[in-house]
Amino acid sequence: MGVALTPLNLGKLGFGGAGIGNLYRAIPEGEALATVLAAWDAGIRYFDTAPHYGLGLSEQRLGAVLRDKPRDDFVISTKVGRLLEPNAAGGQDPEGFDVPATAKRVWDFSEAGIRRSIEDSLDRLGLTHVDIAYLHDADVHDLREGITQGLPALEKLRSEGVVKAIGVGLNSAEAALECVEAADLDLVMLAGRYTLLEQPTVPLLERCVERRTGVVNVGVYNSGLLARADVPDDAHYNYDQAPPHLLERARRLAEVCRDFGVELPTAALQFPLRHPAVVNVTAGATSPEQVASNAARMEESVPEELWDALAAVGGDTQSGG
């Protein structure tokens, strides 16, 4: 594992905060806070969030637990690129989070916008600083603007000591590679593009090793397709119904895992760390039980022969971006 690629000790497993921002469904406050506390009790010390997650709810809930912990004992990242502005229209959030639309997201990759975004996040978190700032979803909004405005602004904030490390959070391996080439990034948070099911065709990970840019790998279950030992017919991939050829591939991977006494989600969680560019796998959770399961799977012993057998099955290099 390439932990030397980042000055921060993230540990093998991180906690992703989208779920406690009410992604797809409302999580009661007590359960959300108990989930964060369970991550802490499991030894997780890297926590990721974003203003986008529940219109700030994820940051508020994460901060409610972490602000009582010794600040030097954990690493926290948030994201910049979307500001939250008051919204008088009302209704529910239209972007997948089960929260009232009391705010609206406004794209802003400018230096002033990024500085304000971090200040607003600190207010919601109740912390004096965040360790890592990722430019969020530049591949969705405007990659060129992200590279020419957002990344130089982040480099400036790092030089000033506002944050310790900077990076990008993207779904596209190709876009991530462009960002790695364009700026001195500490980290890339890559969602769903380097998993047991699929590996990117672009040389992103190899370039990250060369440039000493660590990869925080997220979405390792491919939206749920690899999340169960037995793959159901209604499994999701990229937040939609998984197509038949990927269901078949996932079931073949699960079958190989069973031959070695390992469940598919365990192999999916551990697989990315075998690449020297990957410094951490961050997984979301919406209950203490999910946190405990992820932590146990990360520590489970996996026979080396399983990886050879899985390699023989091969990952789908054409599935994602």
Side-chain angles (χ1 to χ4, degrees):
M1 185 174 62
V3 293
L5 296 183
T6 172
L8 298 169
N9 181 15
L10 306 183
K12 291 188 293 185
L13 181 64
F15 177 86
I20 62 167
N22 287 3
L23 180 62
Y24 304 134
R25 66 184 183 91
I27 307 299
E29 184 79 3
E31 185 172 353
L33 300 185
T35 301
V36 179
L37 188 58
W40 183 273
D41 291 342
I44 294 171
R45 293 296 181 268
Y46 172 49
F47 299 85
D48 176 69
T49 184
H52 175 54
Y53 301 159
L55 295 171
L57 181 62
S58 173
E59 291 180 318
Q60 293 166 3
R61 287 173 161 177
L62 202 57
V65 174
L66 294 182
R67 70 175 65 112
D68 293 330
K69 304 300 182 185
R71 186 59 188 88
D72 291 341
D73 288 359
F74 63 90
V75 175
I76 188 167
S77 58
T78 193
K79 303 185 182 76
V80 299
R82 290 178 176 94
L83 291 172
L84 301 183
E85 301 284 4
N87 177 33
Q92 287 292 108
D93 178 43
E95 297 199 29
F97 294 88
D98 190 358
V99 295
T102 55
K104 59 184 177 181
R105 302 166 181 85
V106 177
W107 291 103
D108 193 333
F109 287 176
S110 70
E111 180 181 337
I114 286 173
R115 288 183 183 274
R116 184 190 143 192
S117 182
I118 290 177
E119 291 171 0
D120 290 350
S121 290
L122 292 176
D123 286 342
R124 289 186 289 266
L125 288 162
L127 299 174
T128 59
H129 67 279
V130 294
D131 301 286
I132 305 164
Y134 295 108
L135 187 66
H136 201 188
D137 289 341
D139 52 335
V140 173
H141 175 56
D142 188 327
L143 184 60
R144 295 272 67 79
E145 185 179 325
I147 289 173
T148 59
Q149 291 190 40
L151 297 186
L154 284 177
E155 289 179 309
K156 187 174 180 181
L157 265 61
R158 181 182 56 192
S159 70
E160 295 172 3
V162 176
V163 293
K164 296 177 182 176
I166 62 170
V168 290
L170 304 169
N171 290 280
S172 165
E174 290 87 350
L177 181 60
E178 287 192 55
C179 293
V180 168
E181 298 289 10
D184 179 20
L185 302 182
D186 299 291
L187 295 162
V188 168
M189 178 170 276
L190 185 65
R193 294 286 79 82
Y194 184 67
T195 72
L196 193 61
L197 184 75
E198 61 176 276
Q199 294 91 50
T201 56
V202 297
L204 170 65
L205 300 188
E206 288 70 21
R207 191 63 176 134
C208 283
V209 171
E210 292 170 357
R211 290 185 63 87
R212 304 194 64 75
T213 300
V215 173
V216 174
N217 212 41
V218 300
V220 297
Y221 296 138
N222 282 115
S223 300
L225 184 54
L226 306 182
R228 304 183 204 177
D230 297 304
V231 180
D233 290 339
D234 62 351
H236 283 72
Y237 168 79
N238 269 11
Y239 310 106
D240 204 348
Q241 170 65 41
H245 77 282
L246 289 184
L247 286 172
E248 180 182 352
R249 179 180 295 278
R251 286 168 176 156
R252 175 63 181 136
L253 293 170
E255 180 182 341
V256 173
C257 288
R258 277 194 296 271
D259 290 342
F260 288 85
V262 175
E263 292 191 341
L264 176 62
T266 299
L269 196 65
Q270 292 192 25
F271 167 76
L273 289 166
R274 296 180 58 77
H275 196 288
V278 177
V279 297
N280 173 274
V281 169
T282 286
T286 55
S287 70
E289 292 76 18
Q290 287 182 1
V291 170
S293 175
N294 285 336
R297 290 188 187 281
M298 184 58 83
E299 296 305 319
E300 186 177 327
S301 178
V302 174
E304 190 67 26
E305 294 79 11
L306 171 59
W307 304 118
D308 295 333
L310 289 169
V313 176
D316 184 350
T317 60
Q318 304 301 319
S319 296

